[in-house]
Each structure stands twice: as C-alpha cells, then as structure tokens.
Amino acid sequence: MASPPRIARLLLKLAVEDRFSGEVMASLDQEFEELVATGGERWARRWYRRQVLHSLGPLVRWRLTRRSASWRKAVMSVMRSTPGLDGRYAMRNLFGAPSFTLVVVLTFAFGIGANTAVFSLVHSLILEPLPFPGGDRVVQLWRYEPNTQGARSVVPPARPMVAAWQEAGDIFDEIGGYTEEELHLSTAEDVEMVMGARISPGILSMVSARPLVGRLFGLLEGIPGYGNTVILSEETWVGRFGSDPGVVGRTVLVDGAAHTIVGVLPGSVRAQLEAGFFGRRPKEVLLPLPSDPVGGWSGRPYIVARLRPGVTAAAAQSRLDEIQTRVAPLIEGHSVWFPLVRSARDATSPTLRRGLWVVLGAVTLVLLVACANIAMLLLVRRVGREAEMRVRLALGAGRTRLAGEMLAESLLVGCAGVLMAILAARWMLTGAAWIAGTALPEIRSARLNPEALGFAVALGLVTVLAFSLIPILHLGRLTPAGAASREWPRPDGHPVGWRAHRSLVVAQVALATVLVLVAGLLSRSLGKLLAVDPGFQTAGLAAVGLDLSGAGYEGGVERIAFFEEVVRGLEGRPGIEAVGWARFVPPRVAGAIGSVHVEGLLPAEDTQPEPHAGNWVAPSYFTAVGTRFVAGRPFTSAEISDRAQVVILNRTGARRLWPDGRGGVGSRIQLVSDYGPAPWMTVVGIVPDVKAWWLGDDPNRMQVYLPVSDVPPRSGVILVRGVEDLGEVKTLVQHEVRRLDSGLPVGESYWVRDAFRQTVARQRFQALLLSSFGVIGLLLAVLGVYGVLSLSVTRRSREIGVRLALGATRGDVSRAVLVQGARAVAVGTSIGLALSYLAHGFLADLLWGIEALDPASYLVSLASIGLAGMAATWVSTRRAMGIDPVDALKRE
C-alpha cells in the first residue's frame, strides 16, 4: 500500500500541536489515498509535499508566537553558548571582509541558482510527466508516410483510423480530439476575435477537469442537432463577464451562431492543457468538437489518448500496426499510411530537448567552476588570516575554538549563498520565460524543482565545508613557538594548498573555455540565421488577420469581394505604400504532402510524396510583399473572377521540374496530394524562393502559389506596407472592415519581420542562455586567475622586496607574474579545447550554417579567454609593481 512521503509527514507532525495532530494527519492521509487511487502514487506524493510545504510556515509562525517566552529563552541560551559566540564572531569577520563575502555569496547564487533553474526546465519539460493525474500515460496519435528522404511526414490521422482505434477498447481508456481556430465572440458590448478550440469531452476527462462554475461538456455534446454550447476560460469569464456566477445559461454569439454558456474552465486546468498538448496560444472559449456517426470526428483534429494502466507506448504502437492492416483497404489510394504513437511529453521539439540537455551540461560546468572558485576563495582567505591564527595560537587560543570559528564562518557564508541561490533560481526561471516569450510557451510551465535545488545546495555546502577543513587541519601543524617565531612549517616555502590553488585555476579556465566556445558557436549560428534573407521585403510589412467564418459570407465570390473591397479602401491612404491580401503570408503558409506531375513527362519511378509549401494569393499580394518576377506575371483579376486553372511556382520548383530549362511559363502541371489529383494548371509566373516556414527552411523546397479563387478562403491576411505604427495599421484595417460590416472584428496584427524572428525563438533562447553562462564562467575564471596571482604576490612580497632592493627591475618582477598567469591560462585553455573537441559532435544538430569546429568561433572565443586572463594577470602585475622594497622588508 502506498504511503505518504516520510520526511514531509514527519515535518508536519512536528509542526502541528499534539491536540490537533491526529485529526490533521488522518484527513491528509485520507486525501492522499484518494489521489493514489485516481491519479497514481507519484502524483499523490507530489501533492502531499506541496500541502506540507504550504502549511509549515504558518504553523511554525503560530507556534512561535503562542510560546514567545520559551522560544526567546531558547534563542538567548543558544546565543550565549560556545557555538553561538563562534557564530557571532564569524559574522563580524564576514562583515569585516565585505568583498570576500559578496563574491562568495554571488558565486553561490550564479552557480547553484543557474544549475537549479536549468535543471528545473529539463525536469519540467522532459523528465516529469504531464502535470495531471495519469499524465505519464497520455499519448498523441498521428499518421505518417515515408518521403523521398526516408523521413516521416507526420500529420493528424484519417477518420477511419480514429474510428478503428475507438473500437479497440484494450489500448486506451480515453481518447479525444481537438482543433484550434480563431472565433468571433459577440457579447452585448462588442464583438472580438478570440482564440478558441473545439474539443471532445474526453480531453477534459483526461486531465480530471472540474468546472469553476456550471458544468463541462457531456458525452452527447458534439452530436449534430444536440444544441450549441460553449465553455468560457476563467480569464474570459473575469475579463468579459465580471466574474458573474449567473453567467451559466446566458447566450452569446460565436461565429454568428447562438451558443449557451454551460460552464467556466479554471485557469489552472487550461494551463495544464497548454503545458501538455493543447497548442501554444491561450484559448478563451471551448466548443464541442462535432462527432461523426461512424466514429471519429469531423475534419482532421489532433488526437490525444490515455493508455490503459499497464499498456506501454510500444505495446500500443504494435497494436495499432495490427489494426492498420484491416483499416488500410478502407482508405482508398493511401495504403502507405501508418499509425504513430508518441508520448505527449515527448512532443516537445527534439531540437529543443537536445538544446536543453546542452544547456544543462553547460550550467553544470558553471556549477563546477563556481565550486572551484569558492574553494579557491576559501584557501586565499585562509592564507590571508594565517598571521592572525599564529598570533592567537601564541597567545593561548585553543585549536578547537579556532576550528569552530572557521567552521561557523563557512556555514554562515554557505547559508547566505544558498538563500541567494534560491532567489536567483526563481529570477532565472522568470527570465527564461521572458526570453522564450510566446514562441516557446512550454517554458512558462517550468517550476522550481526541489530535488535539483537540494542537490546543488548540498554540493555547494560540501565544497565549503571540505575546503574549510584544509585550514582547520593545518592548525594541527602549528605550534605556539612556531607561530611566535613566524616560521613557515613547510621546508619548500609554499603555502599549504598552493598546488590546489593552481589546479583549481587551471580547472576553472578549462571549464570556462568549454562554456565560451559552446556559447560562441550557438551565438554565431543564431547570427547566421537572423541574417538569412527571407526572400522578400519584410521591413515595414504588417499583417492583419481577417476571418469571415460564420459572418454570413457563405459564397466564395462574396468572400473574395469583401477582401478586395478592404484592399481598395486602404489604397491611396497617406503613408501606405502598398496593400494586398492572401490566405497566408510567410512564415505561416500552408503545407501539403504530395507530388507534382508535368504534362507530357512521365514521373520518375522513385518519385515519393514530399512536403510542399502552398499559398492562395490575390493579384495584389506580390506587390505588397515586394516580389519581382523571374519570369511571367502575377494573376489577373479576370483569372480570379473566371476561376482559371493557373499557378505560379518558385524558382527552385521550376528548376526541379524542368532541369534542362525547356519549360516553365506556359507549361501545365498537376498537383497530386492526399485529396487526390488536382486539375491541370498552366504556369503563368516564376518568382524567387522565400523562406516559407522559418528562416532555416529547406532551400530545395517547392513552393506553389494558387489564385484565391481556387479555394475561396474564409479567412485571410491583409498586408500593409509603409505605416510605421502597428496599432495604426490595425486601426486603419478595422475602420475599413467596420465600414463594410460593423459586426465583424479583425484578428491578430503583427510585423512580418517579427514573425520570422519568432521562428528562431528556440535558437535565440539557447544562445542567450549559453552566452549568459559563458560570461558567468569567464568572470569566475578571471576571478580565479586574479585570486591565485594575488595570493602569489602577497606570499612573495618579501622576496619581491629583496629582489628590488638588490637591483632587479620592476619589469623583471612583472614578467615573472605575467608568465605565471599566462601559464595557468594556457594550460587551462588547452584542456578546454580538448574537451570541446570531444563534445563537438553533440552540438552539430543544434547549429545552422556553420560547423561544430567553426574556425571563426574558435578564434573569437579563444581571444576572449586570452584577453580576460591577461586582464586578470595585468591587475595582479600592477599590484606587484607597486610593492615598496622598504615597506616589504619592514613588514617581514
């Protein structure tokens, strides 16, 4: 039988008063058992820990205030004891050395805080199950077919496949579907475009959702003719309906149709859905997903399922492969389709996952550098206080008392560093979410991981205590007589821990070299991506979405006429240089898997379907985006009105179809996709290649432009060039739309250049994080070099004074210090280069446009390390050159 976490239960039992302990513990244990039965032991144990964590503070505070006299006496007793006196003396020492204290605390914060924050990201996005009961059993279901490169082209499954999976009751205990779309939400005050989703009841059942107000969708909702219902998100309920509990039962218009509000979905449930599989944009309203009488759902929704207990993803994949053998004949012409089971947690981008592992490796290096730096600082401080220890021993101080003071000092600085590290970890997680923005919403779901924090804190404290033992053990080698005579106990004249100093500095430089090189490679790769030409003029080009769904524009002619009227109304306005419209605009164009046939040519035997980029454009589109034709012309208004079978190709597509150059404009092609063969179309133009989906898009991708009359769109994008303020662009478009239809809202507005930048959000996120850690590692390494050289100068002040008194020049002294620093930097850099070379293969998949052994990145990174190391050496050299021979001899 599952039991609550022992440590958490013990802490709660100690905090609760005895007279309430039995009742509180019994109630909490009962809720724990219920959660184990519904969501599993792992989920229940996490819930139990959170409850205890939230309760400990108020309970302890209450007990202290109720028993003030006793706890104050206890505190005063502790303060007057020997450990208390040691602690007070150690605190005075730390305040007396603010530079040392501040550097150690900040080193703790950077090393432990960064490590905790990044591991929390990895744990939340990769290792931890989805944040709801049974989240480790939730999978996404897809279909795929091999393409010419042997890769999988993954898309939502066909309806016969979903229907067969629903009938197989031995695999899933819940299966559901959902689609995302922009919707028109009309209230008594206004009509706006909102992001919504159509979902099946099983989706909410998977996350054990409970309504904040009202109810959720029932099993009958979604059946045609049952009735129109809608669920509001908590944010929409608060913002648009003033948290009115009587909102249930009210009627609102969604896409022009009356819908009855049946409930409100809590914001926490929506966050769980979005963290798992529910898309990137927050959903404001939920509608039932229309079901099909024979099974599955209308359209092509995304399919999510929860495996039965004991069924693995591999077993489910094998079972679906068996089912597909009898489903394939039902899908005419597509027997090459195959099912794919993928864990919902694994749906995180593979490149993002690998990037997070690289970031975790980098921040682990930061932690090691931080620990090495803390150790070095402690050793330097021990040497700085050596004279004090000698005098106190000579005056009769006990070694045990001195050791206790050193230990108390180490614990105090360690605890202060730990507290700062906790704050730094929280700030870094917030900063990571800010850097990721809306392009990587999964980062927002990351929470501080207590296990990672505990490990990093333990490592930091072990480092502090371990290196505190060196001066404590050294006390045993000093005698009062030796301390009074100021003789060094070692015959070689080097301070205790000198070899450790040099080794730690070399290790710091080596690890910092790896960090700086990795950060340099990713930063250069990001720079290459951001410098990519999208293929058209994105500067000053704004896009405003417009959706006519449910607005009474059922005919294709009416929809096209509405868009054209908006464009005509905007033309000629002050500041507008060009205006046009299309179904999409890069980098948000459509894609289809298929092949292209040329009239009069037999397709090659090895021709396989492949992803093509497609768009439906108006004649004004190419003027708005600033595209110049390589050959041919844009579509004409007559071709739009006559629904002529015409097409425009990109330059790469034309070269692939006619490698000998004997075709192109005037030739006819046929598109063959999942929907079957399209009619033969005449090529009327060739345009330059554009980056259809992201800045690093495949340069060999075929791109097809069709006239908007081919499939008259219900939604599109109005493109405006020349207006500098995005808000003004939206206002202008909204004015024209309201002039034509006062009840029609406009959708999202954005700069096309910013949309392209969002396509490299993952690369930017990784580069910024690693660059930050590289700078931190470099600063810590510089501090290490400076510390060891400063120690050397301090220890050799008498020697330097004597050499200067005997006629040595200050140049000789500075060269000696420079050589010592350069040697440490050179050895550390060499080791770092070797480590980087061994790890370069792991970085190859994260880079774009450069190799993992890119010479330019290596040169810049090594120059940065060398300059930083020499800067630290120069500061120490200046100190050595400032030594006065007379003062040095007097001090000795």
Side-chain angles (χ1 to χ4, degrees):
M1 183 177 178
S3 58
R6 293 183 180 179
I7 297 178
R9 196 173 193 279
L10 177 61
L11 289 175
L12 184 63
K13 192 172 183 179
L14 292 174
V16 178
E17 281 204 62
D18 294 339
R19 52 179 174 163
F20 303 124
S21 177
E23 182 180 351
V24 170
M25 302 304 292
S27 175
L28 202 61
D29 290 347
Q30 182 179 357
E31 291 191 52
F32 174 80
E33 293 175 0
E34 293 176 357
L35 279 178
V36 169
T38 58
E41 181 178 354
R42 186 173 181 179
W43 168 263
R45 291 174 70 87
R46 288 182 58 212
W47 172 85
Y48 195 97
R49 290 192 186 97
R50 285 199 301 268
Q51 298 301 313
V52 172
L53 186 62
H54 293 160
S55 305
L56 280 179
L59 287 172
V60 171
R61 185 166 57 250
W62 183 81
R63 296 197 71 168
L64 290 177
T65 55
R66 287 294 298 273
R67 300 184 179 183
S68 56
S70 60
W71 73 262
R72 284 177 183 170
K73 290 180 180 179
V75 170
M76 294 303 297
S77 176
V78 171
M79 293 293 290
R80 291 168 183 157
S81 65
T82 299
L85 293 174
D86 290 343
R88 293 165 63 187
Y89 181 75
M91 188 169 293
R92 284 199 299 270
N93 282 336
L94 291 176
F95 279 111
S99 298
F100 166 80
T101 305
L102 181 63
V103 170
V104 172
V105 170
L106 291 180
T107 302
F108 256 100
F110 284 130
I112 296 177
N115 191 274
T116 303
V118 173
F119 186 83
S120 297
L121 285 175
V122 173
H123 189 270
S124 298
L125 301 180
I126 299 177
L127 303 178
E128 187 181 39
L130 293 178
F132 43 80
D136 55 335
R137 295 186 281 120
V138 175
V139 295
Q140 292 180 323
L141 305 179
W142 306 87
R143 70 166 174 84
Y144 74 92
E145 54 185 320
N147 59 22
T148 53
Q149 289 78 30
R152 292 175 170 178
S153 301
V154 179
V155 293
R159 194 180 308 171
M161 301 171 71
V162 178
W165 299 342
Q166 288 177 314
E167 295 176 359
D170 59 331
I171 311 174
F172 311 113
D173 60 11
E174 198 73 63
I175 185 168
Y178 72 94
T179 60
E180 302 175 88
E181 57 185 287
E182 285 190 320
L183 303 168
H184 299 171
L185 178 63
S186 303
T187 61
E189 294 79 16
D190 200 3
V191 54
E192 286 191 61
M193 290 286 293
V194 299
M195 195 64 195
R198 298 184 185 273
I199 65 172
S200 67
I203 294 291
L204 297 177
S205 175
M206 282 182 209
V207 297
S208 302
R210 295 180 180 179
L212 196 62
V213 176
R215 64 175 179 84
L216 302 180
F217 293 141
L219 295 176
L220 298 179
E221 270 151 323
I223 297 177
Y226 181 80
N228 295 332
T229 55
V230 62
I231 294 176
L232 305 177
S233 69
E234 183 177 358
E235 291 75 11
T236 303
W237 177 56
V238 173
R240 300 180 189 272
F241 297 92
S243 303
D244 180 12
V247 71
V248 175
R250 288 176 56 179
T251 300
V252 294
L253 297 180
V254 181
D255 279 350
H259 286 68
T260 302
I261 301 174
V262 297
V264 176
L265 188 71
S268 58
V269 175
R270 195 196 73 177
Q272 289 177 348
L273 287 168
E274 291 170 1
F277 49 79
F278 210 42
R280 296 189 169 184
R281 297 176 61 184
K283 312 299 185 299
E284 297 194 45
V285 296
L286 302 179
L287 302 176
L289 181 64
S291 59
D292 192 276
V294 298
W297 295 275
S298 300
R300 289 191 176 181
Y302 299 104
I303 304 300
V304 183
R306 185 172 61 201
L307 299 171
R308 284 188 173 276
V311 178
T312 63
Q317 181 68 65
S318 300
R319 185 75 176 89
L320 295 189
D321 288 338
E322 296 176 5
I323 295 174
Q324 188 64 18
T325 57
R326 58 183 176 82
V327 174
L330 303 177
I331 311 174
E332 183 177 356
H334 297 290
S335 58
V336 294
W337 287 355
F338 302 99
L340 177 64
V341 180
R342 179 180 291 172
S343 168
R345 173 53 79 203
D346 294 342
T348 303
S349 169
T351 49
L352 176 61
R353 293 165 65 86
R354 173 166 285 200
L356 285 174
W357 284 117
V358 170
V359 172
L360 180 61
V363 81
T364 302
L365 297 183
V366 171
L367 179 62
L368 295 177
V369 173
C371 290
N373 211 42
I374 292 171
M376 186 274 301
L377 290 170
L378 291 172
L379 289 175
V380 169
R381 180 160 175 79
R382 200 278 311 163
V383 173
R385 297 185 62 192
E386 181 183 337
E388 175 195 344
M389 295 296 106
R390 288 179 172 181
V391 172
R392 293 181 66 184
L393 277 174
L395 294 176
R399 291 183 176 82
T400 303
R401 185 64 182 273
L402 294 179
E405 291 176 2
M406 291 183 180
L407 190 61
E409 183 177 312
S410 299
L411 287 174
L412 282 175
V413 75
C415 291
V418 166
L419 293 176
M420 192 65 188
I422 295 173
L423 294 176
R426 295 183 65 89
W427 294 337
M428 288 178 183
L429 276 180
T430 303
W434 177 79
I435 292 173
T438 57
L440 296 173
E442 53 267 37
I443 303 296
R444 298 197 301 265
S445 65
R447 296 292 181 269
L448 197 64
N449 183 260
E451 290 86 358
L453 181 61
F455 172 77
V457 167
L459 184 59
L461 290 178
V462 166
T463 301
V464 170
L465 296 177
F467 282 87
S468 296
L469 290 176
I470 293 178
I472 292 174
L473 294 175
H474 178 57
L475 290 174
R477 305 178 62 179
L478 290 177
T479 62
S485 64
R486 298 169 60 85
E487 293 179 356
W488 191 258
R490 293 184 59 173
D492 58 5
H494 289 299
V496 174
W498 179 249
R499 293 180 183 275
H501 270 90
R502 291 187 298 182
S503 301
L504 289 174
V505 169
V506 169
Q508 282 181 302
V509 174
L511 296 176
T513 300
V514 177
L515 281 172
V516 173
L517 282 172
V518 173
L521 286 168
L522 287 178
S523 298
R524 180 165 164 77
S525 174
L526 176 63
K528 287 273 190 180
L529 266 177
L530 293 176
V532 168
D533 182 9
F536 62 100
Q537 301 174 19
T538 59
L541 182 62
V544 181
L546 186 58
D547 191 350
L548 304 180
S549 301
Y553 300 93
E554 298 302 325
V557 175
E558 290 83 357
R559 295 198 291 269
I560 294 174
F562 188 92
F563 279 103
E564 290 290 346
E565 190 64 30
V566 172
V567 170
R568 278 193 293 270
L570 292 171
E571 289 175 341
R573 283 183 173 270
I576 294 181
E577 299 174 4
V579 61
W581 75 282
R583 176 67 180 89
F584 304 105
V585 62
R588 303 178 181 180
V589 300
I593 299 173
S595 55
V596 181
H597 297 167
V598 178
E599 187 177 35
L601 296 178
L602 293 176
E605 295 182 357
D606 59 347
T607 300
Q608 293 288 338
E610 60 179 285
H612 298 152
N615 199 359
W616 291 265
V617 302
S620 56
Y621 168 81
F622 295 104
T623 302
V625 299
T627 296
R628 295 182 178 180
F629 276 71
V630 176
R633 57 171 176 80
F635 302 127
T636 65
S637 298
E639 288 169 337
I640 300 295
S641 59
D642 295 340
R643 301 196 66 175
Q645 301 298 327
V646 289
V647 66
I648 295 174
L649 297 177
N650 67 324
R651 180 189 286 125
T652 294
R655 287 175 179 172
R656 291 178 56 185
L657 295 177
W658 300 281
D660 57 0
R662 297 181 180 179
V665 176
S667 302
R668 295 214 307 167
I669 63 172
Q670 183 184 50
L671 306 178
V672 180
S673 67
D674 293 348
Y675 301 97
W680 288 95
M681 297 175 290
T682 302
V683 178
V684 298
I686 307 295
V687 295
D689 300 341
V690 300
K691 298 299 181 181
W693 293 323
W694 74 298
L695 286 175
D697 201 13
D698 184 0
N700 296 317
R701 192 178 308 285
M702 183 175 292
Q703 297 161 2
V704 179
Y705 299 86
L706 300 170
V708 288
S709 55
D710 181 69
V711 180
R714 292 182 177 273
S715 62
V717 180
I718 304 294
L719 299 169
V720 178
R721 182 184 296 280
V723 181
E724 296 182 357
D725 182 44
L726 185 61
E728 184 181 351
V729 173
K730 186 171 184 178
T731 300
L732 290 172
V733 174
Q734 194 167 33
H735 178 269
E736 289 301 322
V737 171
R738 294 288 173 88
R739 180 177 63 85
L740 301 172
D741 187 340
S742 60
L744 189 65
V746 298
E748 178 188 13
S749 59
Y750 59 92
W751 295 111
V752 175
R753 172 177 286 181
D754 292 343
F756 270 106
R757 288 182 176 274
Q758 284 190 354
T759 64
V760 294
R762 174 184 57 81
Q763 291 85 353
R764 184 172 63 250
F765 176 74
Q766 294 167 357
L768 286 175
L769 279 186
L770 283 169
S771 297
S772 302
F773 298 146
V775 171
I776 292 172
L778 188 59
L779 290 177
L780 293 177
V782 167
L783 184 60
V785 173
Y786 171 74
V788 76
L789 293 180
S790 296
L791 176 63
S792 174
V793 171
T794 301
R795 297 301 304 173
R796 297 175 61 188
S797 59
R798 179 176 180 275
E799 173 199 340
I800 292 173
V802 172
R803 291 179 63 188
L804 291 174
L806 294 177
T809 65
R810 296 191 181 275
D812 295 332
V813 174
S814 63
R815 275 193 296 273
V817 179
L818 282 171
V819 168
Q820 186 178 3
R823 184 183 297 118
V825 173
V827 173
T829 303
S830 301
I831 296 174
L833 282 174
L835 294 174
S836 301
Y837 179 79
L838 294 176
H840 78 276
F842 194 74
L843 295 173
D845 292 341
L846 301 178
L847 303 177
W848 188 93
I850 63 172
E851 300 293 332
L853 297 176
D854 178 56
S857 301
Y858 270 66
L859 288 175
V860 172
S861 301
L862 292 178
S864 302
I865 297 166
L867 289 175
M870 295 314 296
T873 304
W874 178 78
V875 174
S876 300
T877 303
R878 293 271 298 178
R879 182 181 174 189
M881 293 173 63
I883 292 178
D884 188 339
V886 177
D887 290 342
L889 294 175
K890 282 181 178 179
R891 286 197 300 269
E892 291 296 323

